[in-house]
């Protein structure tokens, strides 16, 4: 059956729509267009700016993370922060803490640093990269890097960094290092 | 818990999975010339070994399968018709 493309009706700019228009096909189409657009932006950025592309995307992600972090309660409890971070990132960035079997706790204390390994199981960035045939660990991965760091910094009021340890088609392992002692 | 099966008939013993896995889940059995699972509990189901295995000799069971939104549903419909 032919999809109806045009919707006719009355519209005033000040009105808030009572319901979203479109069905799942429209959303899927929009998602795929956005994925292609993001992939294309990422590879163009890399082509023009080289390794500087990572820094640009990281900064964009960090800003988003700081904004998102403002919406949740501040805490200095790392596990609580991870829980809140998980809520901020939402179901499209489903992650959990991870540790190898020979390690007792999820967190490792090293001087004034706390290290925790995070495994990202669902990730829209990974979906986008696979949709557009781009490699993982590229500039677009730095968006999530910045986003996570920005949100952690906002929620815990400390400095953090996220290193990408390993990437795979089904999950990615990252190390979050937070530095106690203020920004 | 993750369960990993290696199809010994398919495995060519190239050792790519051994080199690729960051958690040393696999080891090359030098007698058999095949890859074997030695550290299953540390598998995080990233499935990079699936991607690197030239023989597609692996199967992971009981894992969180990440969403595959990148595949167009229309493509799935076509594939289902063909299969």
């Amino acid at each position: 059956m032919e999809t109806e493309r045009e919707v006719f009706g009355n519209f005033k700019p000040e009105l808030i729509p009572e319901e979203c228009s479109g069905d799942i096909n429209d959303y899927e189409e929009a998602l795929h267009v956005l994925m292609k657009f993001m992939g294309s932006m990422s590879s163009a950025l890399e082509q023009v700016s080289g390794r500087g592309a990572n820094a640009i995307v990281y900064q964009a992600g960090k800003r988003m993370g700081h904004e998102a972090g403002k919406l949740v309660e501040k805490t200095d409890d790392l596990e609580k922060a991870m829980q809140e971070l998980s809520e901020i990132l939402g179901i499209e960035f489903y992650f959990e803490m991870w540790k190898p079997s020979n390690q007792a706790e999820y967190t490792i204390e090293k001087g004034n640093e706390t290290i925790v390994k995070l495994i990202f199981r669902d990730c829209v960035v990974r979906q986008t990269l696979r949709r557009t045939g781009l490699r993982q660990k590229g500039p677009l991965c730095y968006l999530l890097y910045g986003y996570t760091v920005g949100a952690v910094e906002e929620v815990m009021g400390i400095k953090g960094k996220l290193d990408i340890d390993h990437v795979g088609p089904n999950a990615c392992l990252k190390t979050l290092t937070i530095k106690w002692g203020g920004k | 818990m993750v369960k990993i099966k290696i199809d010994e008939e398919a495995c060519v013993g190239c050792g790519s999975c051994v080199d690729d896995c960051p958690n040393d889940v696999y080891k090359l059995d030098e007698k058999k010339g095949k890859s074997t699972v030695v550290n299953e509990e540390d598998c995080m189901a990233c499935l990079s070994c699936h991607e690197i295995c030239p023989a597609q000799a692996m199967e992971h069971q009981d894992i969180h399968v990440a969403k595959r939104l990148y595949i167009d549903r229309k493509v799935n419909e076509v594939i289902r018709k063909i299969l």
Side-chain angles (χ1 to χ4, degrees):
Chain A
M1 202 180 81
E2 187 74 18
T3 315
E4 201 172 309
R5 289 276 164 197
E6 285 185 284
V7 177
F8 291 96
N10 299 330
F11 184 79
K12 283 181 183 174
E14 69 270 23
L15 290 177
I16 298 168
E18 285 172 3
E19 58 182 26
C20 298
S21 54
D23 58 17
I24 189 164
N25 292 312
D26 296 314
Y27 282 94
E28 189 191 33
E29 212 166 290
L31 171 73
H32 280 260
V33 168
L34 280 172
M35 278 182 175
K36 281 196 269 185
F37 180 62
M38 285 295 288
S40 166
M41 280 250 292
S42 169
S43 62
L45 248 178
E46 202 172 17
Q47 200 178 358
V48 173
S49 317
R51 288 180 69 188
N54 296 350
I56 296 168
V57 179
Y58 170 75
Q59 202 54 40
K62 197 170 169 183
R63 197 175 293 178
M64 283 165 62
H66 273 286
E67 287 303 315
K70 283 176 186 158
L71 302 173
V72 297
E73 201 185 325
K74 306 268 179 287
T75 179
D76 56 1
D77 178 334
L78 184 63
E79 290 206 15
K80 196 174 171 219
M82 288 300 106
Q83 181 61 40
E84 287 185 350
L85 188 61
S86 161
E87 281 164 27
I88 293 170
L89 292 174
I91 199 153
E92 294 311 332
F93 291 109
Y94 169 61
F95 76 91
E96 52 195 10
M97 289 191 281
W98 189 85
K99 64 176 182 66
S101 56
N102 60 1
Q103 191 180 305
E105 303 288 332
Y106 283 108
T107 54
I108 299 172
E109 306 293 334
K110 234 183 201 178
N112 64 342
E113 288 180 347
T114 302
I115 298 161
V116 62
K117 290 206 182 281
L118 303 176
I119 184 145
F120 284 79
R121 302 227 178 256
D122 286 307
C123 174
V124 172
V125 169
R126 197 188 312 128
Q127 302 281 329
T128 304
L129 296 173
R130 294 188 80 76
R131 174 68 179 82
T132 48
L134 293 169
R135 68 182 170 86
Q136 289 176 264
K137 271 191 185 178
L140 220 48
C141 284
Y142 279 74
L143 187 77
L144 186 60
Y145 175 175
Y147 196 44
T148 312
V149 167
V152 166
E153 286 186 358
E154 194 63 40
V155 173
M156 300 188 74
I158 44 153
K159 213 164 178 61
K161 73 178 175 113
L162 190 78
D163 294 305
I164 304 169
D165 292 351
H166 186 74
V167 294
N170 200 54
C172 300
L173 184 67
K174 300 175 188 211
T175 300
L176 175 69
T177 308
I178 54 171
K179 201 168 186 175
W180 303 100
K183 286 184 185 179
Chain B
M1 202 188 112
V2 180
K3 274 233 158 290
I4 308 168
K5 276 178 157 178
I6 294 179
D7 182 344
E8 285 199 1
E9 281 182 29
C11 178
V12 292
C14 65
S16 300
C17 55
V18 180
D19 295 338
D20 185 59
C21 182
N23 299 325
D24 302 323
V25 169
Y26 306 101
K27 200 178 168 187
L28 201 62
D29 184 330
E30 284 174 18
K31 274 187 194 162
K32 286 185 186 170
K34 306 280 177 187
S35 181
T36 52
V37 180
V38 290
N39 194 12
E40 206 169 40
E41 64 272 25
D42 278 351
C43 175
M44 54 186 186
C46 70
L47 304 190
S48 61
C49 50
H50 279 238
E51 207 151 64
I52 209 162
C53 178
Q56 299 186 350
M58 283 152 191
E59 188 184 324
H60 280 64
Q61 295 174 343
D62 210 12
I63 59 163
H64 172 100
V65 179
K67 283 179 201 157
R68 295 173 186 177
L69 301 174
Y70 61 90
I71 302 170
D72 203 309
R73 289 186 307 137
K74 283 178 196 158
V75 174
N76 285 150
E77 278 169 26
V78 173
I79 291 170
R80 268 198 297 272
K81 277 180 193 165
I82 296 166
L83 295 176

